[in-house]
Amino acid sequence: MDLKKLLAPRTVAIVGASEKEGFGGDTCRNVMAYADKDRVYFINPKRETVFGKKCWPTLDSLPEDIDLVVICTPQKTVEDLLRQAAAKGARGAVVYASGYSEVGTPEGKAATESLRALCKELDIALMGPNCAGFMNYIDKVSAFAFISEERDRTGSIGIVSQSGQLCLSLMDSPATGFSYSISAGNCTVVSMEDYLQYLVDDEHTRVIGLYMEGATQPEKFVSALRAAALKRKPVVVLKTGRSEKGSRVAASHTGSLSGADRMYDAMFKKFSVIRVRDLEELLATTQLFATLPALPQSTGFASINLSGGETGMCADVGDMEGIEYPDFSPETIARLKELLPGYASPANPLDTTATISYDADVYASVLQTVMDDPSVGMVVLGYTLLHEIADPAIIYMTEGIEKVAAGGRMKPTAMLPFVESTRNPTYATRLAKAGVPVLPPPLYAFPALRHLRDFIRYKPEEHTLDMAIPAPAGKKEHRTLSEFASASILKEYGVPTPEGGVAKNADEAVALAEKAGYPVAMKISSADIPHKSDMGGVRLGIRNADEVREAFALIMDNAAKNAPGADIDGIYVQKMLAPAGMEVIIGVNNDPQFGPAVLVGLGGIFVEIFRDTALLPAPFGEAEAMAMLESLKAAPLFKGYRGKAPLDMEALARMVANVSRLAAEKRDEIAELDINPVFVYEKGQGVRAADALAVLKA
Amino acid sequence: MDLKKLLAPRTVAIVGASEKEGFGGDTCRNVMAYADKDRVYFINPKRETVFGKKCWPTLDSLPEDIDLVVICTPQKTVEDLLRQAAAKGARGAVVYASGYSEVGTPEGKAATESLRALCKELDIALMGPNCAGFMNYIDKVSAFAFISEERDRTGSIGIVSQSGQLCLSLMDSPATGFSYSISAGNCTVVSMEDYLQYLVDDEHTRVIGLYMEGATQPEKFVSALRAAALKRKPVVVLKTGRSEKGSRVAASHTGSLSGADRMYDAMFKKFSVIRVRDLEELLATTQLFATLPALPQSTGFASINLSGGETGMCADVGDMEGIEYPDFSPETIARLKELLPGYASPANPLDTTATISYDADVYASVLQTVMDDPSVGMVVLGYTLLHEIADPAIIYMTEGIEKVAAGGRMKPTAMLPFVESTRNPTYATRLAKAGVPVLPPPLYAFPALRHLRDFIRYKPEEHTLDMAIPAPAGKKEHRTLSEFASASILKEYGVPTPEGGVAKNADEAVALAEKAGYPVAMKISSADIPHKSDMGGVRLGIRNADEVREAFALIMDNAAKNAPGADIDGIYVQKMLAPAGMEVIIGVNNDPQFGPAVLVGLGGIFVEIFRDTALLPAPFGEAEAMAMLESLKAAPLFKGYRGKAPLDMEALARMVANVSRLAAEKRDEIAELDINPVFVYEKGQGVRAADALAVLKA
């Protein structure tokens, strides 16, 4: 399958060419407006010309081979046309027709299967069905079923959307520029993941905007994200389903904290994918990346505004989003004092007062002064591009910006309006040409700037860009292991567990206890008894051989009485752990698509009430595990809180990383793993898994 | 001072009338475009006419008295003109000129004082100086210094802004309608609080939008907010300064958690004032209130969209903002199944699929069906009003909405675009006329809907609409009380404290101990020794008379040695408290402007790391105190967490309410109060203030 034939074809045939409203007419209208027409053939047996361009009766009648066929005719004609197109060399096809899997009927499903098989047979990369088509603005290929007002939309944002409706909304926004806009439809043949990889590889695409409902090809998806991360190409994803309950079948204690959607979040973080909450945020973020001539060299922002109110908003909303406004240097402040009215007090965010916005030279000098400050990586100019109210400020400000840009010491700059300003496309376009994006108002703008900052901070070499994608799930039954068996797996991977072992009889129990050292705990060992205490299967604080024997008899007695059918391995004798400085939980949940992710958090109320946990897909290293710990709100508790001794974060990070290695290597065996509690001791004293429960896949 | 003369004058004189750009010219241009011209006199000794309208040489020469003078001329002319205007009966004035307190110089300050004194002498309500003026759209009075594109902006939003720049941005937004738009400037004479009260009283103003930097007249401010709350008139406030450190001088443990800005938050909640984060959110929220013909009767929202992606966004962003989408009734679902394509699955949020948007009748039927569902209070229609892309859906949808509106069973409805849609003013205006506001995209729209929901839920009768505004602060020195003295104040107000008293000698100590019952704690009692333990001033767990005598001698000895200069009251002998189910802190911080607010939270990490506290201005009752406790994230810990016994929340609420009464009544005495910890026992067992520290104002 060759996506070039679909997305960047040399020759195109439009079947069902027409001048009427509808798929055929709208596609032809777009071809006439946007496409390189010489490489397009219109097909319609009933017409001589369409919009003055020659029409051919059939695909067969065309004078040369084609790469792409765009089928504007109804579902029943599709398969026959695909065969005809293939005979004329076509290896790409766009099918608008609906009536396939999206209708949810057996007929729809059958039509889908048939279409998929045919495309495989003919080696055709098919977009859709049930899609709105695509625009390739770079090569001027138009195969799109909705008419847009004529405007040059060429740019560097590549869009893939599983919804046509959202594609339309994006293309409708002024001052935007796209490389590709792809309404992917049902993705029956070419998948969302294929398009994503194509845009990652495409040199004309600087930033990718993706609307997805979910991935269906995890390996391809991860591979595309990895490639983007290594290339440092931003991928901005709108994925719905945050609020819906995950599809997990089994819900374990920690599992409920790491549902399917949280897995996407964690994965996106790993690969520096920017996740947005709605379409406007996607547009703002992609446009910011696409319009800036270069990314900021550092993450310090300077905010420049014309009034105190605007400055206050930038301070407040910026702070809410974690934007840092470094203090200006004394030189910058001194120079600003010369440039600004006496009553202005230069600081960052800066209120220049409105007066300077009426003098392009002064405005340029202020801007240049701020840009020359070494702590400033990027400048955000607060100003509403007024449309209905006459205020010449924008003229002088734009001239000022253009002067600075011409001077060669420009730093990345964006314009921030306080009410929505896309209604002033004249200045939005002029500023975009100067490399200055016009953002939406603050509640969209500052998240977009935060995404930019996070993207700049990300270093691919600090992340393990692997995921442990599991084999497709087979049986759904799961099997719980005993504590000892669970601990044994942990031990294999260097995770410290209590010393001890399983005793079949009292003598063995005494021997194990003497070896481990008193006091010991003794617990019934059986995969059939997950709640050991409830049936009298646990004895703690045992101090000598006599007590061991006594406990052995008592526990076995209780087991016989309270769990008569249970398959009993023996009794797990373990050294009692010293009280911990803190108790932590570590969990592994194995996502059916993307494999295991490791969750870490403080136990009890921290997890249950404050949901203070970190999640990262396995595998990963100690530095990444440490970053997880640091990301917890409760992180200060590790570091000598209120005069207590600092705890062994390093040992805990090592343990979390080891668990991630275990989870990755055993991704096809372990469904869930719950280490709860983990005892964390003072710095240098290490950590221990005090209890563990593994659930196997089969 | 009569604000009617300023804001709704019968007659107006514009001094400095002109046709040139600038204050005079722009004001006259606006008069010609918007004002009831017959009641306006232009004044300019050098011109016969301005824009064809007769010009008078001086105020003195006018044929009748005037209510309002608008002074467009420079600062040096202002005072003389005010005297002339007053002689012609003027009691209102607008002064655009700058050069007053805003320039921060001694001259500016002197000019301000002089202006204030003159207005007092002449009884003139003066707007500004250093302002952009105002528009009264209801009575067609225009005294505004910036030109706007001609359009009827009459509506029911009343705007007061301490920034002219923000006023311009608001007026620039299409499909908005205002009753008043006031750029208040320096507020030297008429204060922001005066304008606010005026708009609360004004019957044409349905919703108030206020940009404020801070209040300067707390009594008036609170009085206006109370009036608005009782009238159920929404006040939407943008107040900057969230991120800036409060101006408090003394920082106490709890004080740092209830800084000046948080006081505004707490006060706004009390009076149901809607606080927004930026100007676009202010605009979206005021417009939502102003455009809906009536407020929803219940807080269940229905979301209707044309695609799965849009439905997903509404589900996700709605959930993020706490919007509730109740399940449709079986009847609604059955009816929707008839109306929608077979593959649609009716639920709330609803994906109707795009097909129905091309049939006004079907769209109307779907809309009506959803509105008829008893759980639905308001409907949100997701659709981007496309502007550049031809999609006839909006035609049919708008017709459908109009059909439903005409049918008489309309419920409140808003339109939600997914990228910004104000560029399509045609449909925005047509929808607004049908009572359907067009919101900004989701990250603004859902917060606005949440504000609406909170406003509907608020019942003024459930809130104590009083604040304990203190007398203006005198001396800045504060005086710390001893624990016993602090506890004594608490006791007066029914707050349970440990039994005991201060002993001057060992015999008294024994007597107190025997009366309280052993074991007791003994603590040095001195306002000069806040850190009692550090100097050996505390002994715990004392079990008999001998131990009391021994402890008495020891503590006195330590005090003499370690705090030689301290003024010692004696030794505080108190009954040791039983261990608590939970420890809570209660703090009072006395805001210099708005008086005391009570803070409550769980002690230790809950407050310090998770900042899980509630704050409410005093006074308030037990039900409000209980609502504070319920608002804590940690609230589940009170209610029998993990099998523990439920705690005495009622007693705690009573204590918090009592502390609020204390704080309100002693607002001119107590600067700070810190009760830390409060021991909370099991249900029915009450609470105790285990330690307390009061700081007096003088």
Side-chain angles (χ1 to χ4, degrees):
Chain A
M1 201 167 66
D2 181 1
L3 257 67
K4 284 255 171 214
K5 300 283 184 192
L6 168 63
L7 294 170
R10 276 179 312 101
T11 46
V12 184
I14 316 283
V15 179
S18 158
E19 293 183 2
K20 287 185 286 188
E21 266 189 25
F23 286 129
D26 291 355
T27 302
C28 291
R29 235 174 246 111
N30 280 333
V31 164
M32 299 310 288
Y34 295 108
D36 180 352
K37 287 177 279 293
D38 296 344
R39 297 190 287 165
V40 180
Y41 295 97
F42 286 170
I43 315 284
N44 187 336
K46 296 182 193 153
R47 303 204 43 147
E48 289 295 308
T49 63
V50 163
F51 296 124
K53 182 175 164 69
K54 178 179 165 64
C55 240
W56 301 75
T58 59
L59 285 163
D60 187 48
S61 66
L62 294 179
E64 62 170 328
D65 268 11
I66 53 165
D67 281 349
L68 169 66
V69 61
V70 181
I71 300 177
C72 309
T73 51
Q75 184 184 22
K76 62 179 189 290
T77 67
V78 168
E79 295 207 359
D80 193 39
L81 287 167
L82 285 174
R83 286 187 192 281
Q84 292 176 35
K88 285 298 276 187
R91 291 294 174 270
V94 171
V95 173
Y96 301 137
S98 53
Y100 293 88
S101 56
E102 82 282 359
V103 297
T105 59
E107 296 77 25
K109 208 176 159 190
T112 298
E113 288 312 319
S114 169
L115 186 66
R116 184 180 287 129
L118 181 63
C119 288
K120 192 169 182 186
E121 178 197 326
L122 303 174
D123 189 27
I124 281 186
L126 179 139
M127 178 179 294
N130 185 36
C131 72
F134 75 95
M135 301 286 289
N136 166 346
Y137 291 99
I138 303 299
D139 303 299
K140 306 208 178 308
V141 180
S142 174
F144 197 70
F146 288 82
I147 298 296
S148 51
E149 202 168 285
E150 214 167 318
R151 163 164 77 79
D152 183 9
R153 289 186 178 76
T154 310
S156 58
I157 304 174
I159 295 287
V160 181
S161 171
Q162 291 189 293
S163 153
Q165 203 73 31
L166 298 188
C167 238
L168 296 185
S169 295
L170 287 173
M171 290 165 70
D172 194 63
S173 212
T176 48
F178 303 98
S179 53
Y180 288 84
S181 179
I182 298 169
S183 158
N186 289 5
C187 290
T188 300
V189 177
V190 182
S191 66
M192 174 273 286
E193 292 84 354
D194 293 323
Y195 295 119
L196 178 62
Q197 182 68 57
Y198 180 89
L199 293 179
V200 170
D201 295 338
D202 176 56
E203 60 177 322
H204 299 288
T205 300
R206 281 185 66 199
V207 48
I208 297 167
L210 171 64
Y211 165 69
M212 63 187 280
E213 275 149 20
T216 55
Q217 302 180 328
E219 288 274 14
K220 270 193 191 171
F221 191 60
V222 166
S223 167
L225 297 187
R226 183 188 301 115
L230 291 171
K231 271 192 151 177
R232 309 295 295 116
K233 184 180 283 196
V235 180
V236 183
V237 175
L238 171 61
K239 186 199 160 293
T240 50
R242 265 178 204 268
S243 57
E244 279 162 51
K245 285 166 188 159
S247 54
R248 288 185 72 257
V249 180
S252 74
H253 180 73
T254 53
S256 64
L257 297 161
S258 55
D261 191 77
R262 245 199 110 182
M263 184 68 184
Y264 276 96
D265 269 342
M267 174 166 62
F268 288 163
K269 210 170 162 190
K270 188 163 193 159
F271 293 104
S272 173
V273 170
I274 297 161
R275 185 170 187 178
V276 292
R277 293 157 293 176
D278 73 4
L279 200 63
E280 180 82 2
E281 190 182 355
L282 181 137
L283 193 63
T285 308
T286 51
Q287 220 174 329
L288 175 62
F289 276 102
T291 310
L292 291 179
L295 296 187
Q297 295 295 308
S298 70
T299 57
F301 286 83
S303 165
I304 305 182
N305 310 278
L306 305 188
S307 78
E310 296 173 341
T311 308
M313 266 188 278
C314 288
D316 287 355
V317 184
D319 181 75
M320 238 164 55
E321 294 291 336
I323 295 295
E324 278 161 36
Y325 298 117
D327 289 339
F328 291 142
S329 72
E331 294 73 30
T332 305
I333 289 175
R335 178 85 180 104
L336 287 174
K337 276 194 174 149
E338 289 166 23
L339 291 165
L340 300 179
Y343 51 93
S345 36
N348 187 15
L350 177 65
D351 171 12
T352 61
T353 76
T355 52
I356 75 141
S357 65
Y358 299 99
D359 185 322
D361 288 320
V362 176
Y363 194 77
S365 300
V366 168
L367 198 48
Q368 189 65 65
T369 301
V370 169
M371 279 179 189
D372 287 346
D373 192 290
S375 72
V376 171
M378 174 159 180
V379 177
V380 181
L381 302 173
Y383 179 72
T384 303
L385 293 181
L386 298 172
H387 189 62
E388 292 195 348
I389 295 200
D391 179 8
I394 184 60
I395 301 169
Y396 302 109
M397 290 168 77
T398 307
E399 275 174 26
I401 293 166
E402 287 165 348
K403 272 173 206 275
V404 172
R409 295 209 315 284
M410 182 87 170
K411 280 183 180 171
T413 302
M415 198 96 181
L416 171 72
F418 297 96
V419 301
E420 160 303 294
S421 275
T422 59
R423 285 169 302 112
N424 194 338
T426 315
Y427 274 90
T429 305
R430 183 164 163 191
L431 286 164
K433 277 197 184 132
V436 177
V438 178
L439 297 166
L443 295 189
Y444 282 103
F446 282 101
L449 294 171
R450 173 171 50 79
H451 295 319
L452 174 64
R453 181 204 64 190
D454 292 346
F455 186 82
I456 297 166
R457 282 193 183 157
Y458 178 89
K459 296 193 178 63
E461 61 274 20
E462 289 175 0
H463 298 264
T464 306
L465 296 182
D466 281 325
M467 301 267 297
I469 309 277
K475 285 174 287 180
K476 294 258 170 171
E477 301 103 65
H478 284 177
R479 189 160 63 84
T480 303
L481 291 188
S482 72
E483 181 185 345
F484 179 71
S486 302
S488 303
I489 299 175
L490 292 178
K491 216 171 161 184
E492 257 182 72
Y493 283 84
V495 172
T497 54
E499 283 161 63
V502 172
K504 296 273 183 209
N505 54 49
D507 287 343
E508 281 181 31
V510 170
L512 284 166
E514 313 255 293
K515 193 176 165 213
Y518 292 106
V520 295
M522 292 173 65
K523 304 172 180 174
I524 190 79
S525 185
S526 164
D528 299 336
I529 308 177
H531 303 293
K532 302 181 282 275
S533 302
D534 297 358
M535 51 69 68
V538 177
R539 278 287 171 276
L540 303 176
I542 295 160
R543 295 163 179 277
N544 55 48
D546 286 349
E547 286 183 21
V548 170
R549 287 177 198 283
E550 200 181 316
F552 193 94
L554 184 68
I555 291 173
M556 281 302 194
D557 212 42
N558 284 340
K561 215 159 43 193
N562 301 329
D567 189 0
I568 289 168
D569 307 329
I571 287 179
Y572 186 12
V573 179
Q574 59 181 217
K575 188 178 167 68
M576 290 281 288
L577 295 179
M582 192 186 291
E583 296 188 8
V584 159
I585 65 169
I586 299 176
V588 173
N589 181 34
N590 200 340
D591 184 90
Q593 286 196 298
F594 294 107
V598 180
L599 175 140
V600 63
L602 270 63
I605 51 161
F606 294 97
V607 163
E608 290 172 16
I609 292 181
F610 292 101
R611 306 252 141 194
D612 184 25
T613 60
L615 184 76
L616 191 64
F620 52 81
E622 283 177 41
E624 289 155 286
M626 184 58 90
M628 289 174 77
L629 299 180
E630 292 283 2
S631 77
L632 294 173
K633 276 196 202 139
L637 299 185
F638 288 117
K639 297 175 178 179
Y641 179 70
R642 285 199 156 185
K644 285 186 187 162
L647 302 177
D648 204 334
M649 281 181 91
E650 289 71 22
L652 180 59
R654 201 174 316 126
M655 181 165 173
V656 173
N658 282 337
V659 169
S660 88
R661 193 163 49 89
L662 180 168
E665 291 183 10
K666 294 193 181 291
R667 62 183 172 274
D668 292 325
E669 293 159 54
I670 293 182
E672 276 167 43
L673 179 62
D674 215 348
I675 316 178
N676 183 8
V678 175
F679 281 14
V680 184
Y681 297 101
E682 289 181 14
K683 213 175 190 70
Q685 312 281 306
V687 292
R688 290 270 172 180
D691 198 352
L693 184 76
V695 178
L696 299 192
K697 281 192 172 181
Chain B
M1 201 168 69
D2 181 1
L3 258 67
K4 284 255 171 212
K5 300 283 185 193
L6 168 63
L7 294 170
R10 275 178 312 101
T11 45
V12 184
I14 316 282
V15 178
S18 157
E19 292 184 2
K20 288 185 285 191
E21 266 188 28
F23 286 127
D26 291 355
T27 302
C28 290
R29 235 175 246 110
N30 280 332
V31 164
M32 299 310 287
Y34 295 108
D36 180 351
K37 289 177 280 292
D38 296 343
R39 297 190 289 164
V40 180
Y41 295 98
F42 287 171
I43 315 282
N44 188 337
K46 296 181 192 153
R47 302 203 44 144
E48 290 295 309
T49 62
V50 162
F51 297 124
K53 185 175 162 67
K54 177 179 167 62
C55 241
W56 300 76
T58 59
L59 284 163
D60 187 47
S61 66
L62 293 180
E64 62 170 328
D65 269 13
I66 52 165
D67 282 349
L68 170 66
V69 61
V70 181
I71 300 177
C72 309
T73 50
Q75 185 183 19
K76 62 178 187 292
T77 67
V78 168
E79 295 206 2
D80 193 38
L81 287 167
L82 285 174
R83 287 186 192 280
Q84 291 177 33
K88 284 300 276 187
R91 292 293 176 270
V94 171
V95 173
Y96 300 139
S98 53
Y100 293 88
S101 56
E102 81 283 359
V103 298
T105 60
E107 295 77 24
K109 209 177 157 190
T112 298
E113 287 312 319
S114 170
L115 186 66
R116 186 180 287 131
L118 181 63
C119 288
K120 194 169 180 186
E121 177 196 328
L122 303 174
D123 190 25
I124 281 186
L126 180 139
M127 179 179 294
N130 185 36
C131 73
F134 75 96
M135 301 285 289
N136 167 348
Y137 291 98
I138 302 300
D139 303 300
K140 305 209 178 307
V141 180
S142 174
F144 198 71
F146 288 82
I147 299 295
S148 51
E149 201 168 286
E150 214 169 319
R151 162 164 76 79
D152 183 8
R153 289 186 179 76
T154 309
S156 58
I157 304 174
I159 295 288
V160 181
S161 171
Q162 291 189 294
S163 153
Q165 204 74 31
L166 297 187
C167 239
L168 296 185
S169 295
L170 287 172
M171 289 165 68
D172 194 63
S173 211
T176 47
F178 303 98
S179 53
Y180 289 83
S181 180
I182 299 169
S183 159
N186 290 5
C187 290
T188 299
V189 177
V190 182
S191 67
M192 174 273 285
E193 292 83 353
D194 293 323
Y195 295 118
L196 178 62
Q197 182 69 58
Y198 180 89
L199 293 179
V200 170
D201 295 337
D202 176 56
E203 60 178 322
H204 299 288
T205 300
R206 282 184 65 198
V207 49
I208 297 167
L210 170 64
Y211 164 69
M212 63 187 280
E213 275 149 20
T216 55
Q217 302 180 328
E219 288 274 13
K220 271 193 192 172
F221 191 60
V222 165
S223 167
L225 297 187
R226 183 189 302 115
L230 290 170
K231 271 193 151 176
R232 310 295 294 114
K233 185 181 280 196
V235 179
V236 182
V237 175
L238 172 61
K239 186 202 160 292
T240 49
R242 265 179 205 267
S243 58
E244 277 163 52
K245 284 166 190 159
S247 55
R248 288 185 75 257
V249 180
S252 75
H253 179 74
T254 53
S256 63
L257 297 161
S258 55
D261 190 76
R262 244 199 113 183
M263 185 68 184
Y264 276 96
D265 269 341
M267 175 168 59
F268 288 164
K269 211 170 161 193
K270 188 164 192 156
F271 293 103
S272 172
V273 170
I274 297 160
R275 185 171 187 178
V276 293
R277 294 157 291 176
D278 72 4
L279 201 64
E280 179 83 1
E281 189 182 355
L282 181 138
L283 193 64
T285 307
T286 51
Q287 220 174 329
L288 175 62
F289 276 102
T291 310
L292 291 179
L295 297 187
Q297 294 295 307
S298 69
T299 57
F301 286 84
S303 165
I304 305 182
N305 309 278
L306 304 187
S307 78
E310 297 173 341
T311 308
M313 266 188 277
C314 288
D316 287 355
V317 183
D319 181 75
M320 239 162 56
E321 294 291 336
I323 295 296
E324 277 160 36
Y325 298 116
D327 289 339
F328 291 142
S329 72
E331 294 73 32
T332 305
I333 290 175
R335 178 82 181 108
L336 287 174
K337 277 194 174 147
E338 288 166 25
L339 290 165
L340 300 179
Y343 51 93
S345 35
N348 187 14
L350 177 65
D351 170 13
T352 61
T353 77
T355 51
I356 75 140
S357 65
Y358 298 99
D359 184 323
D361 288 320
V362 175
Y363 194 75
S365 300
V366 167
L367 197 49
Q368 190 64 66
T369 301
V370 169
M371 280 180 189
D372 288 346
D373 192 293
S375 71
V376 172
M378 176 161 179
V379 177
V380 181
L381 303 173
Y383 178 72
T384 303
L385 293 180
L386 298 171
H387 189 62
E388 292 195 348
I389 293 199
D391 179 7
I394 185 58
I395 301 170
Y396 301 110
M397 290 168 77
T398 306
E399 276 175 26
I401 293 166
E402 287 165 348
K403 270 173 207 275
V404 171
R409 296 209 314 283
M410 183 88 171
K411 281 183 181 172
T413 302
M415 199 95 181
L416 170 71
F418 297 96
V419 302
E420 142 332 274
S421 276
T422 59
R423 286 170 301 113
N424 194 337
T426 315
Y427 274 91
T429 305
R430 183 164 164 192
L431 286 164
K433 278 199 182 129
V436 177
V438 178
L439 298 166
L443 295 189
Y444 282 103
F446 282 101
L449 294 170
R450 173 170 51 77
H451 296 319
L452 175 64
R453 181 205 62 188
D454 292 346
F455 187 81
I456 297 165
R457 280 191 185 159
Y458 177 88
K459 295 193 178 61
E461 61 273 21
E462 290 175 0
H463 298 264
T464 307
L465 296 183
D466 281 325
M467 302 266 299
I469 309 279
K475 286 174 287 182
K476 294 258 170 171
E477 301 102 65
H478 284 178
R479 188 161 63 84
T480 303
L481 291 188
S482 72
E483 181 185 346
F484 178 71
S486 303
S488 302
I489 299 176
L490 292 177
K491 217 172 161 186
E492 255 182 75
Y493 282 83
V495 171
T497 53
E499 285 161 60
V502 173
K504 295 274 182 209
N505 54 50
D507 287 344
E508 281 182 31
V510 170
L512 283 165
E514 313 257 292
K515 193 177 163 211
Y518 293 107
V520 296
M522 291 173 66
K523 305 172 181 175
I524 189 78
S525 185
S526 165
D528 299 336
I529 308 177
H531 302 293
K532 302 181 283 275
S533 303
D534 297 358
M535 52 69 69
V538 177
R539 277 285 171 280
L540 304 175
I542 295 160
R543 295 165 180 276
N544 55 48
D546 286 349
E547 285 183 24
V548 170
R549 287 176 198 284
E550 197 182 317
F552 194 95
L554 184 69
I555 291 173
M556 282 301 192
D557 212 43
N558 285 339
K561 214 158 42 195
N562 301 329
D567 189 1
I568 289 168
D569 308 328
I571 288 180
Y572 186 9
V573 180
Q574 59 181 217
K575 189 178 166 67
M576 292 278 289
L577 295 179
M582 190 185 291
E583 295 189 9
V584 160
I585 66 169
I586 299 176
V588 173
N589 181 33
N590 200 341
D591 186 90
Q593 286 197 298
F594 294 108
V598 180
L599 176 139
V600 62
L602 272 62
I605 51 160
F606 293 98
V607 163
E608 291 171 16
I609 292 182
F610 293 101
R611 306 253 142 194
D612 184 25
T613 60
L615 184 76
L616 191 63
F620 51 81
E622 283 178 40
E624 288 155 286
M626 185 58 89
M628 289 174 77
L629 300 180
E630 292 283 0
S631 77
L632 295 173
K633 276 195 202 141
L637 299 184
F638 289 116
K639 298 177 178 178
Y641 179 70
R642 284 200 160 183
K644 283 186 187 160
L647 302 178
D648 204 334
M649 281 181 92
E650 288 72 21
L652 181 57
R654 201 174 316 126
M655 182 166 174
V656 173
N658 282 338
V659 169
S660 89
R661 193 164 50 87
L662 180 168
E665 291 183 9
K666 294 193 180 291
R667 61 184 174 273
D668 292 325
E669 294 159 53
I670 293 182
E672 276 168 42
L673 179 62
D674 216 348
I675 316 178
N676 181 9
V678 174
F679 281 13
V680 184
Y681 296 101
E682 290 181 15
K683 211 175 192 70
Q685 313 279 305
V687 292
R688 289 270 173 181
D691 199 351
L693 184 76
V695 179
L696 299 191
K697 281 190 171 180

